[in-house]
């Protein structure tokens, strides 16, 4: 028959061994792997449509120049769809673009061309 002290010590040893085997294993490396290079980044644009007027406010927080253009699709078939001229938005710069239809706007969006 075992003594209660030996049984307690054996249970503690088994619990410690079990806890040690379930510890997470992390690889050790000298340097973290490099992230994949990101593609060209666009200026952040917010478009607002109010009645027959559309406005886009664009801010470029990147180091490259972005050329933005506002496009407007009108509701009526006889009302021509409109596009603004491209506007260059340099690094840390802001630009506002506006366009309108005669009676209403169905959809407005901004396109980008990074140089």
């Amino acid at each position: 028959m075992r003594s209660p002290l030996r049984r307690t010590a054996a249970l503690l040893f088994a619990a410690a061994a079990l806890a040690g085997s379930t510890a997470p294993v992390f690889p050790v490396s000298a340097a973290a792997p490099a992230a994949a290079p990101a593609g060209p980044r666009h200026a952040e644009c917010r478009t607002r449509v109010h009645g027959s007027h559309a406005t886009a406010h664009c801010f470029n927080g990147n180091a490259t120049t972005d050329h933005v253009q506002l496009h407007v699709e009108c509701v009526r078939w006889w009302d021509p769809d409109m596009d603004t001229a491209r506007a260059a938005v340099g690094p840390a710069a802001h630009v506002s673009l506006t366009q309108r239809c005669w009676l209403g706007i169905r959809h407005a969006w901004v396109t980008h061309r990074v140089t």
Side-chain angles (χ1 to χ4, degrees), residues 8-107:
T8 304
L11 288 174
L12 286 175
F13 180 72
L18 183 62
S21 68
T22 60
V25 178
F26 297 105
V28 178
S29 62
R41 301 201 43 206
H42 301 298
E44 181 180 336
C45 296
R46 298 186 187 265
T47 305
R48 179 177 177 214
V49 174
H50 183 70
S52 61
H53 292 81
T55 305
H57 298 282
C58 299
F59 174 75
N60 188 6
N62 305 305
T64 57
T65 300
D66 189 4
H67 293 78
V68 294
Q69 185 176 14
L70 176 64
H71 307 276
V72 174
E73 181 182 338
C74 300
V75 173
R76 306 287 185 217
W77 65 268
W78 46 262
D79 199 356
D81 297 340
M82 304 297 289
D83 301 323
T84 63
R86 285 197 187 273
V89 186
H94 175 269
V95 70
S96 294
L97 304 169
T98 59
Q99 194 53 269
R100 68 181 297 264
C101 292
W102 282 100
L103 289 178
I105 294 176
R106 177 175 314 204
H107 186 62

